Amino acid sequence: MPRVFVIEDEEDISGLIRYNLEKDGYQVGVASSGEEGIAKIRPFKPDLIMLDLMLPGMQGLDVLRHLKGDAATKNVPVIIVSAKTSETDRVLGLEMGADDYIMKPFSVKELASRVKAVLRRTAPAPRRQTLQYKGLQIDFDSVVVTVDGKTVHLSPFEFKTLQREAGALL
């Protein structure tokens, strides 16, 4: 389940974002200030951060600067969600390391689509699914079985049976 952390001081907006992302299957953490967000992000280990720019105390751009300067969060994608709509604000946020910029008011459907798109672009490449035991090698991605380097031809039924049994070992 992807994890999204929202830093937003307006409770109605953070609640709306949280509700809709949770409905879409995300685990969501929320903070209402930059300082609280910085304190909660590391233990939450988000896959994505949604950040408002106009926050009480520490401003959003300062939070972004902190996140991109911290080894634990520098590679976590950030979507800015802000009422600041000028081209200068949008360009500055993107140049400072944000992956996207959504202007308030926003469409919930568009926000969900942008979250999916950013996560899709930044997701690590999937691991190849292989199982090796002594001379046996099963490559589940390419549907190839080898024994001592020689390919073993299996019917689709035989491979599915082998895959089911091997899955119990993984």
Side-chain angles (χ1 to χ4, degrees):
M1 173 183 306
R3 300 164 66 85
V4 178
F5 197 86
V6 179
I7 304 174
E8 168 64 62
D9 63 318
E10 294 182 48
E11 197 172 314
D12 292 343
I13 293 175
S14 65
L16 176 71
I17 293 171
R18 175 183 225 149
Y19 172 79
N20 283 283
L21 290 178
E22 286 177 345
K23 189 175 74 163
D24 286 346
Y26 297 95
Q27 184 175 351
V28 182
V30 177
S32 60
S33 71
E35 294 87 348
E36 180 186 6
I38 288 172
K40 289 182 174 180
I41 280 178
R42 274 183 166 220
F44 186 76
K45 297 180 182 164
D47 299 302
L48 174 73
I49 299 166
M50 302 192 76
L51 175 64
D52 184 16
L53 292 184
M54 294 186 288
L55 296 167
M58 185 178 206
Q59 292 295 300
L61 289 177
D62 294 326
V63 173
L64 181 61
R65 189 175 295 110
H66 176 86
L67 294 170
K68 294 303 174 181
D70 183 345
T73 55
K74 72 179 181 180
N75 294 320
V76 177
V78 175
I79 297 177
I80 293 173
V81 181
S82 180
K84 289 187 165 190
T85 60
S86 77
E87 179 183 30
T88 303
D89 291 322
R90 294 189 316 262
V91 169
L92 181 60
L94 294 168
E95 286 182 350
M96 287 183 64
D99 296 86
D100 202 351
Y101 195 109
I102 299 173
M103 294 180 283
K104 294 177 186 174
F106 54 84
S107 152
V108 172
K109 287 182 180 181
E110 180 182 0
L111 180 123
S113 292
R114 287 178 182 248
V115 166
K116 287 177 191 170
V118 168
L119 287 172
R120 190 172 49 245
R121 282 194 310 266
T122 59
R127 271 187 330 123
R128 284 192 62 89
Q129 293 291 317
T130 60
L131 175 68
Q132 290 184 316
Y133 179 76
K134 297 186 180 181
L136 172 69
Q137 180 174 337
I138 306 169
D139 187 329
F140 298 105
D141 294 328
S142 61
V143 191
V144 174
V145 177
T146 58
V147 176
D148 296 327
K150 295 179 185 170
T151 302
V152 176
H153 298 283
L154 299 176
S155 71
F157 176 77
E158 291 170 325
F159 188 83
K160 284 195 182 294
T161 302
L162 180 62
Q163 185 176 23
R164 184 180 61 245
E165 295 301 319
L169 299 173
L170 295 176

